[in-house]
Amino acid sequence: MPEDCVFCMIRDGEIPSDILHRDQYCFVIRDINPVAPTHLLVIPLEHFEYLAELVSDFDQTVAAMLSAARDMASAEGVSGSGYRLMLNQGRDGGQEVPHIHLHVMGGRHLGGFGIPSERTS
Ligand code: AMP
Ligand code: ZN
């Protein structure tokens, strides 16, 4: 794991952050620069950059991440109105933080397919 990975540092409490959920495989925080009223990040505890690098506990980790996304969307009150899950991979996918994470965005209409074009803050 890189020494300077921001999500590893949040996981380890080296950067203060409100952790909304944590289980054996993943944790959830609010995105620091939200594009929607609800914008959460579901992050695996284990550091890896690409889905292809996830070899141990693949099924359990992916299931835990989707389960956390579903439960947090419900807790945020956006299950009924709908939300978007997004997982960026690599340069062309627009990935900025090289520790894989699932975006959970909702609370406003996000428009058509793709990356929401407007940030709310
Ligand atoms: P991506 O482009 O998929 O890699 O998304 C990275 C996301 O991480 C962006 O939406 C950032 O706003 C978010 N982010 C970066 N640093 C932090 C942080 N310290 N706490 C919360 N979210 C962060
Ligand atoms: Zn990391």
Side-chain angles (χ1 to χ4, degrees):
M1 142 196 131
E3 297 273 312
D4 57 351
C5 174
V6 63
F7 291 166
C8 284
M9 288 193 271
I10 290 172
R11 176 199 62 202
D12 296 341
E14 292 163 11
I15 295 176
S17 183
D18 191 14
I19 296 185
L20 308 176
H21 163 96
R22 184 192 285 262
D23 60 42
Q24 189 183 345
Y25 297 103
C26 65
F27 65 103
V28 179
I29 59 173
R30 291 193 191 282
D31 196 293
I32 204 170
N33 194 9
V35 300
T38 290
H39 188 168
L40 308 177
L41 300 174
V42 183
I43 306 167
L45 292 176
E46 185 185 338
H47 178 98
F48 62 96
E49 183 167 356
Y50 297 110
L51 263 184
E53 294 170 356
L54 174 57
V55 287
S56 61
D57 296 329
F58 182 91
D59 292 359
Q60 294 93 327
T61 302
V62 171
M65 289 175 70
L66 278 179
S67 177
R70 176 197 61 192
D71 293 348
M72 291 305 305
S74 179
E76 291 280 306
V78 299
S79 281
S81 50
Y83 55 95
R84 179 172 297 167
L85 301 180
M86 185 174 78
L87 197 156
N88 296 328
Q89 287 283 264
R91 185 198 62 198
D92 286 355
Q95 185 176 8
E96 293 171 4
V97 177
H99 180 145
I100 207 166
H101 48 280
L102 184 64
H103 295 258
V104 183
M105 298 165 285
R108 75 169 173 90
H109 184 60
L110 293 168
F113 177 78
I115 298 169
S117 57
E118 292 178 9
R119 291 193 176 265
T120 54
S121 68

